[in-house]
Each structure stands twice: as structure tokens, then as C-alpha cells.
Amino acid sequence: MKLKNRFANLAEERISQRVLYVLTGIAALIFVLFFSVGFYVPLAENPAFNAPLLTDALIVFMWILFGLTVLVMLLSVFHTVKTISVKQRVVNGIPTYRITTVVFGTTFVCLVLSFVFGSSDSMVINGATYADKFWLKASDMFVTSSLVLLLAAIGVTVFGATRYYRKRK
């Protein structure tokens, strides 16, 4: 039974590695093409600004990645909720269910709070005024949440690294 699980885990690991490599390759290719093909084409309205030719391709690629990320997240949450049992809430003395709940809750609360308290002041970018309050708050939410969660991850990593002691045999 253990051997079967080990092979299943190795197969899952290989699949996830290949998906990572393919996505990284596609992203690198799109970004190289974005910066090397027609990047310095002047904007028709104001020649002081660039209008890269492959901007639409980059935006479509980002939307596809965003959609796939949301889909995988929803499938993962559904699968976890459907398959978790009382026995799996603590694995090898680690409270996995509690950790999952705290991470999800913290991320959700961080997103909600950063949206509620986010700035909705209009901005002038490249001479254009952006005043849509929802999108200004949403962009502020993502920037603020990313920074807060990144700092939290760094803090938890440093804390964990300082508390990790190996037992000598």
C-alpha cells in the first residue's frame, strides 16, 4: 500500500513539475516577444509614450492565467471540503485542518479589509484620469494584500527557521 502511494505521489510530482515548466516557458516566451517585437512603437496620440505591439497578447495571457488560477482554486477547495474527514484533521501531529482554515480565513479577511479601507481617489496616469471607484479600490486591494501577505510569509518563515531544532540521535 505504501509503495502504491509513493508511486502516485511521484507521478503527481512529475505532472506538477511539467505544468510548471510549460507555464514558465510560455510566460518567458511571451515576455521576450513583448519586449523584443515592436516594443518601441510610439503611441499615435502622444509619441512620448510607447505602444508595444504585443500588449493585447500579454493581457490575454494574464487573463487566461488568472482564470485558470481561480478554476484550480475552486476545484481544490471543493475537493478538500468533499474529501476531508475527522481522521485527516490532524496528520502526524500537525493540525492540517486548522492550518488550512487559518490560512484561508487570513487571506479572505486581508482581501476584504484592504478593499474596504482601500483608496478610491482618482488617479492621472499618462494624462488619462481614472475615477472608477470600484476598480481603484480593487487594484489597491490586490497591491495591499500582496504586500501584507508577503510580509506575513516572510515573518512566519523567519519565525519557523529560528524555532527549528534537530534532535540528535
Side-chain angles (χ1 to χ4, degrees), residues 16-143:
S16 66
Q17 283 178 346
R18 288 183 182 150
V19 169
L20 173 68
Y21 295 150
V22 167
L23 286 177
T24 303
I26 292 171
L29 177 68
I30 288 177
F31 278 99
V32 165
L33 289 174
F34 177 77
F35 286 111
S36 62
V37 177
F39 182 76
Y40 292 106
V41 174
L43 183 65
E45 298 164 2
N46 186 351
F49 297 112
N50 289 343
L53 293 177
L54 297 178
T55 302
D56 292 337
L58 184 64
I59 291 172
V60 167
F61 178 67
M62 288 297 134
W63 275 110
I64 289 170
L65 282 181
F66 177 72
L68 287 173
T69 303
V70 170
L71 178 68
V72 168
M73 181 209 55
L74 291 174
L75 290 173
S76 175
V77 167
F78 177 74
H79 176 71
T80 301
V81 168
K82 185 178 172 186
T83 60
I84 198 162
S85 68
V86 176
K87 294 178 185 174
Q88 294 173 327
R89 292 183 179 219
V90 177
V91 177
N92 295 330
I94 299 170
T96 56
Y97 183 75
R98 188 178 338 157
I99 291 171
T100 303
T101 306
V102 168
V103 168
F104 177 78
T106 302
T107 304
F108 183 75
V109 167
C110 184
L111 287 170
V112 169
L113 289 177
S114 60
F115 182 81
V116 169
F117 294 112
S119 174
S120 62
D121 297 338
S122 61
M123 298 175 69
V124 178
I125 300 171
N126 293 339
T129 301
Y130 295 92
D132 188 337
K133 294 192 183 298
F134 173 79
W135 288 112
L136 288 167
K137 281 184 156 288
S139 61
D140 194 33
M141 171 190 72
F142 286 119
V143 170

Side-chain angles (χ1 to χ4, degrees), residues 141-162:
M141 171 190 72
F142 286 119
V143 170
T144 303
S145 295
S146 297
L147 292 173
V148 167
L149 293 173
L150 184 64
L151 289 174
I154 290 170
V156 168
T157 303
V158 169
F159 177 78
T162 60

